[in-house]
């Protein structure tokens, strides 16, 4: 053997490593140039690869855990047929919304997400009020999303305890809220990690999420005798329709099943909020959104069909555990096997909370950076130690505890945070989609499409218009109380909370907010759009970001 062989191999590896490092640096430099063109100095380290970004997008939806959390709603209000058909109907409509959002995220890959994009898609004189409304709606929806997911996880854990003890265990509101708050605090600690650790941690989420879903589908089909499977008329037809609303007509009762899919397939722009931490963000972020929406929609439909197909009598599914999903698994797999798989279902919910808190903290950081919060930019600060917004993380964590406290007053009121999540987030999404079309020919609005672009033809227009009309429809639907007659206990408080936040934030803007908030502001000195996008000198003084 030639003695020079090992040395040549070593030299070749070093050369390859240097080449890869150069390419990585070039890619990061390109991303930072795009960000500076939008109007921001890069503040984060780009540690999220394509796989980690796709995993993040899948994890924010939390396929099997999100279905497990909301499965009772369509099942008890509209029946098994509502579970099956509302999912695929909602998934198709969510696909139009996800595609429209991906298009905007590709053009504006910033941690402000659609909040920043909205202000850039309207004339300068409207930027402040538009940014204010979208910012508050988006933060409200994300906080409700974190709270509802963590609340759902706490209930899933207690459901496992009830099943393990054969129903001989009483779960009180205090126990649920206590576990809920503890889990939130733990997620706050995890989010304090540096970006590179968060990226590595996130990469494996997608495999657990999809793997557990596939395993549940296979095991249920294998363990359910053919003779005990429900017929097609029960899964897809009229035999599977049950009006459990107590007074609403059959059409409304059936459509209440949309809550599951709309709550699961939301927070699309979460990937945008970490885009300043993503490599090749203009490509990776929208692609991850598109892939996650399609995958979650199709795989989720299969899971729902299998759950209904393998479920026993409907009256046996609403037991003390409060989880029809877990009861179906226990019926077909047995209690030990069901609890084993349930552990991984809970783990996917844990991942959803982790990614949702990370995304929301970046939105709070961006909104504070632009002085949309009454904190003088305090939360718009990046730690020089971890290069993450620690202040925004803990503010978001604390804020997310509040909606969960509703359970101490009324479990039905607490369930309103699920509807609140879909309403507030989806409303914040359709505003920039509408603005892009409404001001497409305005001389002061210059929309430069990113790599992901559906165009100005029939496809792009149809997708945008359908998602706007659909969102307005479901917001009206989710404002309705799900049970009649309406009482203080079963009242749907989602519309009350959403309307209250809009009114209070609007009044605050008129009374004082407009004096210090001018819309998303550039922190790039001599930024070419400084006259209409904020004063860069003032912003540079107020930013409060410590560079490493």
């Amino acid at each position: 053997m030639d003695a020079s062989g090992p040395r040549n191999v070593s030299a070749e590896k070093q050369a390859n490593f240097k080449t890869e490092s150069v390419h990585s640096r070039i890619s990061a430099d390109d991303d930072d140039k795009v960000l500076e063109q939008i109007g921001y100095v890069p503040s984060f380290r780009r540690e999220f690869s394509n796989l980690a970004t796709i995993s993040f997008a899948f994890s924010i939806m939390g396929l099997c855990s999100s279905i497990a959390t909301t499965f009772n709603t369509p099942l008890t209000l509209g029946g098994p047929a509502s579970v099956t058909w509302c999912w695929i109907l909602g998934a198709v409509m969510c696909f139009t919304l996800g595609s429209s959002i991906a298009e905007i995220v590709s053009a504006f890959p910033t941690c402000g997400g659609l909040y920043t994009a909205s202000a850039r898609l309207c004339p300068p004189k409207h930027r402040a009020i538009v940014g204010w409304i979208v910012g508050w709606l988006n933060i409200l929806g994300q906080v409700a999303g974190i709270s509802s997911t963590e609340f759902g996880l706490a209930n899933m854990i207690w459901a496992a305890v009830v099943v393990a003890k054969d129903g001989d265990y009483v779960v009180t509101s205090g126990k649920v809220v206590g576990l809920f708050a503890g889990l939130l605090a733990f997620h706050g600690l995890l989010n304090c990690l540096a970006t590179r650790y968060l990226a590595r941690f996130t990469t494996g989420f997608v495999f657990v999420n999809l793997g557990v879903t596939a395993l549940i589908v296979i095991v249920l089909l294998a363990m359910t005798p053919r003779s005990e499977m429900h017929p097609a008329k029960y899964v897809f037809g009229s035999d599977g329709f049950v009006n459990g609303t107590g007074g609403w007509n059959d059409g409304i009762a059936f459509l209440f099943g949309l809550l599951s899919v709309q709550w699961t397939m939301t927070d699309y722009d979460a990937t945008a909020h970490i885009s300043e931490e993503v490599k090749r963000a203009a490509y990776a972020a929208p692609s991850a959104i598109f892939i996650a929406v399609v995958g979650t929609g199709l795989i989720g439909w299969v899971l729902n069909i299998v759950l209904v197909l393998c479920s026993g009598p409907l009256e046996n599914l609403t037991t003390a555990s409060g989880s029809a999903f877990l009861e179906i698994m226990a019926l077909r797999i047995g209690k030990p096997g069901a609890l084993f798989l349930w552990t991984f279902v809970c783990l996917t919910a844990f991942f959803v909370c982790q990614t949702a808190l990370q995304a929301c903290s970046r939105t709070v950081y961006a909104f504070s950076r632009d002085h949309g919060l009454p904190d003088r930019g305090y939360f718009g600060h990046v730690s020089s130690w971890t290069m993450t917004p620690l202040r925004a993380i803990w503010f978001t964590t604390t804020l997310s505890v509040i909606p969960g406290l509703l359970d101490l007053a009324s479990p039905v009121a607490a369930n309103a945070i699920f509807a609140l999540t879909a309403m507030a987030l989806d409303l914040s999404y359709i505003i920039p989609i509408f603005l892009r079309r409404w001001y497409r020919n305005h001389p002061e609005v210059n929309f430069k499409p990113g790599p992901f672009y559906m165009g100005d033809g029939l496809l792009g227009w149809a997708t945008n218009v359908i998602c706007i009309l659909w969102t307005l429809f479901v917001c009206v639907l989710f404002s309705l109380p799900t049970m009649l007659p309406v009482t203080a206990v079963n009242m749907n408080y989602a519309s009350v909370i959403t309307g209250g936040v809009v009114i209070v934030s609007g009044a605050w803007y008129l009374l004082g907010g407009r004096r210090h908030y001018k819309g998303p502001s550039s922190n790039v000195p001599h930024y070419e759009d400084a006259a209409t996008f904020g004063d860069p000198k003032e912003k540079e003084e107020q930013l409060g970001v410590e560079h490493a």
Side-chain angles (χ1 to χ4, degrees), residues 263-533:
W263 184 77
T264 300
M265 298 181 65
T266 191
D267 213 359
Y268 310 97
D269 71 328
T271 309
H273 297 308
I274 65 162
S275 58
E276 292 184 32
E277 300 164 77
V278 172
K279 299 172 183 176
R280 301 180 73 247
Y283 293 88
S287 298
I289 294 172
F290 187 84
I291 293 170
V293 169
V294 173
T296 300
L298 294 177
I299 300 172
W301 195 37
V302 173
L303 177 59
N304 275 290
I305 291 173
V306 171
L307 285 169
V308 173
L309 185 68
C310 299
S311 64
L314 184 59
E315 58 272 16
N316 293 344
L317 300 180
T318 53
T319 60
S321 70
S323 174
F325 191 114
L326 179 55
E327 293 295 340
I328 294 171
M329 290 173 58
L331 172 67
R332 299 306 179 189
I333 307 172
K335 188 167 66 175
L339 292 176
F340 175 75
L341 286 178
W342 193 247
T343 302
F344 293 96
V345 176
C346 292
L347 189 61
T348 62
F350 184 89
F351 293 160
V352 176
C353 298
Q354 172 67 18
T355 51
L357 182 56
Q358 182 181 352
C360 187
S361 65
R362 272 51 172 180
T363 309
V364 170
Y365 158 80
F367 204 40
S368 174
R369 177 179 63 184
D370 296 333
H371 295 275
L373 297 176
D375 63 338
R376 297 182 180 272
Y378 179 79
F379 297 113
H381 172 276
V382 173
S383 169
S384 59
W385 180 40
T386 62
M387 293 304 293
T388 55
L390 295 182
R391 295 175 183 175
I393 288 169
W394 284 109
F395 176 72
T396 304
T397 302
T398 304
L399 200 60
S400 299
V401 174
I402 298 175
L405 298 179
L406 284 172
D407 191 56
L408 296 175
S410 165
V412 177
N415 287 334
I417 59 177
F418 291 90
L420 173 63
T421 301
M423 287 175 59
L425 281 177
D426 289 354
L427 284 173
S428 75
Y429 296 159
I430 63 173
I431 292 174
I433 296 170
F434 172 80
L435 292 175
R436 190 179 88 73
R437 293 298 181 182
W438 186 260
Y439 291 112
R440 64 189 183 281
N441 297 321
H442 196 283
E444 294 179 294
V445 178
N446 182 23
F447 174 71
K448 296 180 180 178
F452 186 97
Y453 183 52
M454 292 183 289
D456 288 324
L458 179 60
L459 175 64
W461 269 97
T463 302
N464 293 163
V465 171
I466 289 172
C467 76
I468 291 173
L469 295 177
W470 176 257
T471 298
L472 294 175
F473 168 71
V474 295
C475 284
V476 172
L477 182 67
F478 292 163
S479 297
L480 301 175
T482 56
M483 299 293 292
L484 293 179
V486 181
T487 65
V489 176
N490 63 24
M491 171 64 184
N492 184 348
Y493 293 92
S495 58
V496 177
I497 297 173
T498 303
V501 170
V502 170
I503 293 172
V504 171
S505 64
W508 176 19
Y509 176 79
L510 294 174
L511 295 175
R514 56 194 175 96
R515 298 173 186 170
H516 58 80
Y517 180 76
K518 305 301 179 184
S521 306
S522 170
N523 61 349
V524 177
H526 312 300
Y527 181 61
E528 61 180 5
D529 198 24
T532 56
F533 198 57

Side-chain angles (χ1 to χ4, degrees), residues 216-230 306-312 328-329 331-333:
I216 290 174
V217 168
I218 293 171
V219 171
L220 283 178
L221 291 175
M223 299 294 288
T224 305
R226 183 68 178 270
S227 60
E228 296 182 16
M229 290 184 179
H230 288 292
V306 171
L307 285 169
V308 173
L309 185 68
C310 299
S311 64
I328 294 171
M329 290 173 58
L331 172 67
R332 299 306 179 189
I333 307 172

Side-chain angles (χ1 to χ4, degrees), residues 158-171 319-322 327 335:
W158 284 122
V161 174
V162 173
V163 170
K165 292 183 175 293
D166 296 319
D168 187 23
Y169 189 85
V170 178
V171 179
T319 60
S321 70
E327 293 295 340
K335 188 167 66 175

